[in-house]
Amino acid sequence: MISRKVKNVQEALEGIQDGQTIMLGGFGLCGIPENSIAELVEKNITNLTCISNNAGVDDFGLGLLLQKRQIKKMISSYVGENAEFERQMLSGELDVELTPQGTLAEKCRAAQAGIPAFFTPAGFGTEVAEGKETREFNGKMHVMELAYKADFSIVKAWKGDEAGNLIFKGTARNFNACMAGAAKITIAEVEELVPAGTLNPNEIHIPGIMVNRIFQGEKFEKRIEQKTVRQK
């Protein structure tokens, strides 16, 4: 059994350099690779292109990289709750490529599956389709979208084993699952790392063949982006 375990986040992120393209899993603040993002901030890696559903909030998640101007381009589906993301986009400081959410997920999944391109009706007739090939299928126009090309994919899982098999919990499956294996190198940080053979094969969401490095995170804040409680 091949072990993909590395001892810490520093070893996991070896090889990431200025100017590279990185996929980062998670949905809002749910299931984001907190330890890896903090290490990218610490290493002061700059000029990054980040592919992520959104950019967290001002003082957490990818918002920390935006604060230090470490990101040159964001490829996302929406701005979300991040005021600094909005400010940099409107001022022209940050190159932003907004993509329909389903298209963004499929561009990741296509890269994961080795599919170079696909057709989708989403975005036809809008700015999203400008400069792209279009084709009619069954009487409906579609836009051709290219799969993403990334140097690293960083995902976060609830549990994983030393062979790289991953289990996600709840909404953390959004974008983490389709980004695993979608880049040249996939890094997984997990809340609990167990010996190979421990996980129930029927519960594994991503097989270890799609993961290159796996480590156990030291701490997870698991912040809530918008806390809503029921009236008593």
Side-chain angles (χ1 to χ4, degrees):
M1 184 73 69
I2 297 174
S3 175
R4 293 172 169 82
K5 176 185 175 182
V6 296
K7 59 184 179 181
N8 52 37
V9 65
Q10 289 79 19
E11 185 176 343
L13 267 57
E14 282 185 2
I16 296 183
Q17 301 174 358
D18 294 352
Q20 291 186 321
T21 298
I22 303 177
M23 291 180 171
L24 295 113
F27 193 74
L29 298 183
C30 180
I32 63 173
E34 298 178 30
N35 290 266
S36 297
I37 292 172
E39 181 63 15
L40 289 173
V41 173
E42 181 67 24
K43 290 168 71 73
N44 198 33
I45 296 171
T46 62
N47 209 31
L48 293 172
T49 294
C50 292
I51 302 170
S52 181
N53 182 55
N54 65 307
V57 293
D58 290 298
D59 61 345
F60 195 61
L62 290 181
L64 297 172
L65 291 170
L66 285 170
Q67 281 185 349
K68 293 185 65 178
R69 307 295 193 275
Q70 291 174 254
I71 301 175
K72 73 166 183 179
K73 181 176 182 178
M74 278 296 309
I75 301 175
S76 303
S77 70
Y78 73 110
V79 174
E81 303 292 327
N82 195 318
E84 180 60 18
F85 185 2
E86 178 184 14
R87 190 197 66 76
Q88 289 188 29
M89 180 180 72
L90 295 177
S91 68
E93 298 173 43
L94 179 69
D95 186 6
V96 177
E97 182 180 314
L98 292 177
T99 303
Q101 193 169 79
T103 301
L104 193 150
E106 187 63 12
K107 283 163 76 76
C108 295
R109 195 197 68 82
Q112 180 190 67
I115 298 170
F118 59 92
F119 282 93
T120 174
F124 177 77
T126 72
E127 293 181 10
V128 171
E130 290 182 2
K132 297 176 183 176
E133 180 182 339
T134 59
R135 190 178 297 183
E136 182 179 338
F137 294 94
N138 301 317
K140 189 172 185 177
M141 294 302 298
H142 291 66
V143 181
M144 189 178 79
E145 295 283 358
L146 300 177
Y148 286 132
K149 293 181 180 180
D151 299 292
F152 286 86
S153 175
I154 306 177
V155 302
K156 187 262 180 179
W158 168 56
K159 188 180 290 188
D161 67 19
E162 294 177 0
N165 299 302
L166 303 177
I167 298 175
F168 304 104
K169 182 178 282 187
T171 309
R173 290 185 71 177
N174 288 356
F175 292 98
N176 276 307
C178 64
M179 287 183 174
K184 295 176 183 176
I185 296 176
T186 294
I187 300 164
E189 68 173 64
V190 298
E191 294 182 41
E192 183 179 354
L193 184 59
V194 299
T198 304
L199 302 178
N200 182 343
N202 295 307
E203 296 177 352
I204 291 171
H205 296 130
I206 290 294
I209 192 68
M210 293 186 175
V211 176
N212 302 96
R213 306 170 190 170
I214 187 169
F215 72 98
Q216 182 166 318
E218 294 184 354
K219 62 179 181 178
F220 295 93
E221 291 187 40
K222 297 185 180 181
R223 292 195 196 179
I224 298 174
E225 192 167 354
Q226 289 286 353
K227 186 175 182 179
T228 303
V229 297
R230 185 176 64 183
Q231 296 285 339
K232 288 186 178 181

